[in-house]
Amino acid sequence: MKASAPGKIILFGEHAVVYGRPALAVPVTQVRADVDVEVSARPGIWIEAPDVQLSAELKSLPGPNPLAALVHNLLLALGIDPYPNLTIRISSTIPVASGLGSGAAVSVALIRALASTLQRPLSDEQVSACAYEIEKMHHGTPSGIDNTVVTYARPVYFVKGRPIEMLHVREPFTIVIGHTGVAAPTRESVADVRQLWQNDPATWDVVFDGIQALVRMAREAIETGMWRHLGPLMNENHALLQRLTVSSPELDRLILAARQAGALGAKLSGGGRGGNMIALAPESGPRAIADALTAAGSPRIIITTVESSPAA
Ligand code: PMV
């Protein structure tokens, strides 16, 4: 059985969300992870992921391996014993280590494909919880925002440990996503922010509170159709992320290029230090921003529309 899951971007609130503050995230349906699970005659559970030159029996993967852990956890949770012979094919157009949720999307698609092949359909809540366990292997101390937005494939207002709230997008708006060309593991930037916070919680809690205030204003703007107001809020959020030391020269260069090309606002998105930046397109459209990002050296640009019910 096949399953697919979209990528995602964080619009506001990354890093602070690890410390209990809210964040806004939206699916990016232009990039996807696809998984096909088949019961096969070949003994064992085989993972075929040609994009990353992987073709291996699960048990032979050097551990700890997130894919092996996921399959094992799920079969255990579903009480499947002995393990069936399976071939799991994974393909993804989501760039890795770039803040687009590639790990979570592969997990969610794999969980759904495996559960339906074994005729044990799971609720969204179960899928997200199962993917969260694997996010811990990718990220260390993840907030859970990636697995949540990728599972529900809707814009979300997310607070760690609280029931998920969908975001009502009153008027669609367009975001240009520009890759820096630098792969940056979220685990490292999250660990560095933790170090800062542990050394001086009072200072960094003020920064997290500042981000929280921006997230709340951004939610209000999105839900009332005042999306143009998001631009300055994005710029302010980026300034606070710079203070948290998670921007980089490449991110700052692309963000400046986008603003100079008419973006209403721009910021890094996700873990930072590399990966992607996002820019809010004006009514006249995203083209000038996309061209400016290309001229500034971005190797990959995605244009996406944020709306309440994106096409699956
Ligand atoms: O977009 P990503 O996968 O790089 O996620 C990072 C979001 C953080 O807030 C930095 C970490 C987290 O777990 O929420």
Side-chain angles (χ1 to χ4, degrees):
M1 303 284 265
K2 291 183 189 189
S4 176
K8 72 101 211 350
I9 45 165
I10 296 180
L11 288 184
F12 288 92
E14 51 275 271
H15 287 290
V17 69
V18 176
Y19 299 84
R21 274 57 166 202
L24 307 183
V26 300
V28 176
T29 54
Q30 286 80 1
V31 285
R32 311 197 65 89
D34 290 287
V35 175
D36 188 4
V37 177
E38 262 176 21
V39 177
S40 62
R42 176 169 55 167
I45 298 178
W46 285 77
I47 307 265
E48 311 279 356
D51 299 343
V52 291
Q53 288 86 43
L54 177 68
S55 171
E57 212 279 318
L58 208 63
K59 288 203 198 98
S60 73
L61 290 173
N65 179 284
L67 291 175
L70 198 168
V71 173
H72 181 73
N73 289 355
L74 194 62
L75 292 175
L76 203 68
L78 297 174
I80 308 280
D81 186 29
Y83 284 6
N85 295 331
L86 299 169
T87 297
I88 298 171
R89 285 190 192 84
I90 301 173
S91 62
S92 173
T93 55
I94 310 174
V96 296
S98 60
L100 280 166
S102 68
V106 168
S107 293
V108 165
L110 176 49
I111 293 162
R112 288 207 173 114
L114 201 53
S116 56
T117 304
L118 300 168
Q119 296 177 323
R120 306 281 180 88
L122 299 172
S123 67
D124 286 342
E125 210 177 330
Q126 289 169 314
V127 170
S128 186
C130 195
Y132 180 62
E133 291 308 308
I134 305 307
E135 286 293 286
K136 288 186 198 162
M137 292 181 76
H138 286 297
H139 282 193
T141 53
S143 60
I145 192 167
D146 279 23
N147 48 286
T148 302
V149 65
V150 165
T151 299
Y152 290 86
R154 296 273 187 86
V156 297
Y157 175 88
F158 177 87
V159 182
K160 188 175 174 176
R162 294 238 197 109
I164 170 178
E165 290 178 53
M166 300 301 164
L167 199 56
H168 173 67
V169 183
R170 178 81 184 264
E171 226 182 82
F173 55 93
T174 302
I175 294 286
V176 184
I177 306 167
H179 200 287
T180 53
V182 178
T186 297
R187 176 187 276 274
E188 284 171 22
S189 62
V190 168
D192 290 351
V193 170
R194 183 161 300 275
Q195 195 67 53
L196 287 178
W197 179 74
Q198 276 170 347
N199 289 342
D200 183 3
T203 297
W204 299 106
D205 273 330
V206 171
V207 173
F208 296 148
D209 286 343
I211 294 176
Q212 165 168 276
L214 295 172
V215 171
R216 290 186 177 150
M217 286 188 265
R219 178 185 194 173
E220 169 89 14
I222 290 171
E223 300 204 318
T224 54
M226 309 291 273
W227 58 266
R228 292 159 204 81
H229 292 179
L230 296 176
L233 300 176
M234 287 166 83
N235 292 340
E236 282 183 54
N237 195 164
H238 186 67
L240 293 177
L241 289 163
Q242 283 176 317
R243 282 191 60 195
L244 282 171
T245 74
V246 295
S247 193
S248 70
E250 295 84 2
L251 280 163
D252 288 341
R253 193 175 60 239
L254 294 184
I255 287 164
L256 187 65
R259 288 178 189 155
Q260 286 173 343
L264 300 178
K267 63 183 277 294
L268 72 83
S269 176
R273 299 268 169 80
N276 282 288
M277 50 70 67
I278 56 174
L280 178 64
E283 261 110 350
S284 55
R287 209 56 266 165
I289 299 166
D291 291 346
L293 291 175
T294 304
S298 173
R300 179 156 189 192
I301 288 153
I302 298 168
I303 297 172
T304 191
T305 301
V306 177
E307 51 198 331
S308 276
S309 305

